[in-house]
């Protein structure tokens, strides 16, 4: 593709105060400054992308903008010594798709320090089947490991929001690593799917959302929480003595109606997990772990693929809770 050629992109603009997503033909000269030009082979759709594309969340900070918080592909041009044409790379976070142009295009120009070399065992499609959701799930697993939660513990690990992208990958990772996993979901029709990913028991979202006492019966050696709010409060109240809770989401609310009791009477550890500004070294470790520890058949089982043109419709669906697992976006379709 030469400079005179065009490429496809999904571009967000605002008209009369509303966010509008349009497919457009762009040129390299339309791209913002950056050290590395990447041929985007795949991106993915996450909950945050749904908020950005629909305009239902205050995600996008400037217009026009190409959304897409993830991308994977091949370096075309680079002024940075760390990357050469032909290198395979993956990018998640760093406010790409929010403040900076993202992955919903056939090309992206980005900063070199946002990129991670793609592990040899991963191709671009599998990397985006993992995406921010899977990367976040791996960071949560690593946090539990560092918090002393071990496979074979007497009590299972609880995963909330298990039908979503982060939760589904967390279930698959934990089960593969030898943990006993209990999944929380508001969609009972997904029971067979979650058991296939490795969950041994299920708990309803309604049950986990009920108000709780500061301390409840100790049920969980560890928790991966994607929900927040009352669900996180109950998870803390039910965590085992010395247990760890990795919190990475707020789909159920940003408030936390709890007390200090789980922390000072049971030594429970609340571990915050951020995937956006995660430093380079843990990023590389997490991607290497994902290449090794996430079974490909299970990842494929939870993944569907769409084109750029289908992104607006699917963005509405993910916000409505109608999307299960992971969605890969092919900008070249």
């Amino acid at each position: 593709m030469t400079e005179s050629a065009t490429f496809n992109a999904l571009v967000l603009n605002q008209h009369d105060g509303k966010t509008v997503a349009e497919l457009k033909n762009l040129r390299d000269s339309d791209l913002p400054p950056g050290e590395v030009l990447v041929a985007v082979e795949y991106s993915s759709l996450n909950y945050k992308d749904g908020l950005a594309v629909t305009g239902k969340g205050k995600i996008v900070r400037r217009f026009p903008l190409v959304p897409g918080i993830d991308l994977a592909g091949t370096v075309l041009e680079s002024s940075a010594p760390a990357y050469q044409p032909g290198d395979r790379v993956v990018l998640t976070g760093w406010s790409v798709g929010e403040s900076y142009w993202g992955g919903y295009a056939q090309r992206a120009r980005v900063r070199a320090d946002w990129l991670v070399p793609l592990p040899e065992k991963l191709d671009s499609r599998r990397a985006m089947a993992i995406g921010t959701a899977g990367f976040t799930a791996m960071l949560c697993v690593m946090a539990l490991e560092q918090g002393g939660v071990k496979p074979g513990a007497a009590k299972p690990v609880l995963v909330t929001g298990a039908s979503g992208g982060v939760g589904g990958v967390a279930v698959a990772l934990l089960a593969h690593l030898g943990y006993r996993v209990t999944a929380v979901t508001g969609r009972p029709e997904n029971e067979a799917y979650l058991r296939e990913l490795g969950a041994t028991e299920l708990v309803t979202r309604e049950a986990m959302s009920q108000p709780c006492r500061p301390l409840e019966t100790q049920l969980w050696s560890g928790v991966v929480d994607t929900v927040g709010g009352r669900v996180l409060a109950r998870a803390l109240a039910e965590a085992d003595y010395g247990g760890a809770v990795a919190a990475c989401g707020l789909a159920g609310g940003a408030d936390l109606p709890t007390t200090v009791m789980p922390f000072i009477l049971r030594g429970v550890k609340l571990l915050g997990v951020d995937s956006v500004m995660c430093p380079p070294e843990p990023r590389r470790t997490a991607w290497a772990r994902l290449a090794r520890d996430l079974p490909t058949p299970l990842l494929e089982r939870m993944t569907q693929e769409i084109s750029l043109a289908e992104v607006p419709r699917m963005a509405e669906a993910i916000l409505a809770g109608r999307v299960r697992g992971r969605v890969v976006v092919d900008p070249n379709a």
Side-chain angles (χ1 to χ4, degrees):
M1 187 182 294
T2 65
E3 172 62 31
S4 61
T6 61
F7 59 90
N8 293 327
L10 186 72
V11 181
L12 300 183
N13 273 293
Q14 280 208 319
H15 298 304
D16 298 325
K18 295 183 178 180
T19 299
V20 177
E22 300 173 294
L23 278 175
K24 291 191 174 183
N25 289 323
L26 301 179
R27 301 180 185 274
D28 285 359
S29 56
D30 295 317
L31 293 170
E35 301 155 303
V36 183
L37 181 65
V38 179
V40 180
E41 291 157 8
Y42 289 97
S43 183
S44 74
L45 180 74
N46 302 276
Y47 191 84
K48 186 182 287 186
D49 295 310
L51 292 171
V53 171
T54 62
K56 294 181 179 179
K58 295 182 180 180
I59 301 298
V60 177
R61 298 176 174 89
R62 62 186 68 176
F63 296 91
L65 182 126
V66 172
I69 65 174
D70 299 337
L71 65 88
T74 302
V75 173
L76 294 173
E77 300 173 3
S78 175
S79 62
Y83 295 100
Q84 303 297 322
D87 288 348
R88 298 162 61 247
V89 293
V90 59
L91 188 158
T92 62
W94 301 115
S95 295
V96 169
E98 303 174 58
S99 296
Y100 308 101
W101 284 27
Y104 291 168
Q106 291 175 300
R107 286 191 170 199
R109 187 179 285 122
V110 298
R111 286 175 44 174
D113 55 5
W114 293 342
L115 297 169
V116 173
L118 199 60
E120 288 186 7
K121 292 183 179 180
L122 294 182
D123 59 23
S124 295
R125 187 186 184 281
R126 187 178 171 206
M128 288 295 94
I130 295 168
T132 283
F135 173 62
T136 304
M138 188 73 247
L139 292 177
C140 288
V141 171
M142 291 163 58
L144 293 186
E145 292 172 341
Q146 292 160 9
V149 182
K150 300 182 183 300
K155 296 181 174 70
V157 173
L158 184 74
V159 177
T160 71
S163 293
V166 178
V169 178
V171 169
L173 280 169
L174 289 163
H176 181 71
L177 291 169
Y179 293 87
R180 193 154 50 97
V181 182
T182 296
V184 180
T185 183
R187 291 180 270 175
E189 67 274 14
N190 287 339
E191 178 175 355
Y193 162 76
L194 291 169
R195 290 188 182 277
E196 187 176 345
L197 294 184
T200 55
E201 299 292 337
L202 269 70
V203 175
T204 67
R205 181 173 60 202
E206 181 181 10
M208 285 298 299
S209 300
Q210 295 302 309
C212 63
R213 297 172 297 180
L215 295 175
E216 295 282 353
T217 302
Q218 299 172 56
L219 300 175
W220 322 115
S221 64
V223 179
V224 173
D225 177 63
T226 70
V227 177
R230 285 186 174 183
V231 171
L232 176 55
R234 177 168 285 276
L236 288 165
E238 294 178 347
D240 199 13
Y241 188 93
V245 177
C248 66
L250 42 65
D255 61 323
L256 184 55
T258 190
T259 72
V260 299
M261 287 186 176
F263 312 113
I264 65 173
L265 297 182
R266 289 183 179 168
V268 174
K269 296 175 283 293
L270 178 57
L271 309 172
V273 174
D274 166 56
S275 64
V276 176
M277 305 304 289
C278 177
E281 193 55 39
R283 280 181 186 272
R284 291 173 183 256
T285 300
W287 279 105
R289 290 282 306 273
L290 285 160
R292 185 187 76 195
D293 294 335
L294 182 58
T296 300
L298 289 182
L299 183 62
E300 283 299 315
R301 175 73 178 84
M302 68 175 79
T303 302
Q304 59 181 302
E305 185 175 317
I306 64 173
S307 66
L308 279 183
E310 296 173 282
V311 166
R313 174 185 62 82
M314 194 63 77
E316 294 282 357
I318 200 170
L319 296 188
R322 298 196 303 270
V323 174
R324 186 178 76 181
R326 296 289 297 134
V327 179
V328 166
V329 178
D330 181 358
N332 303 292

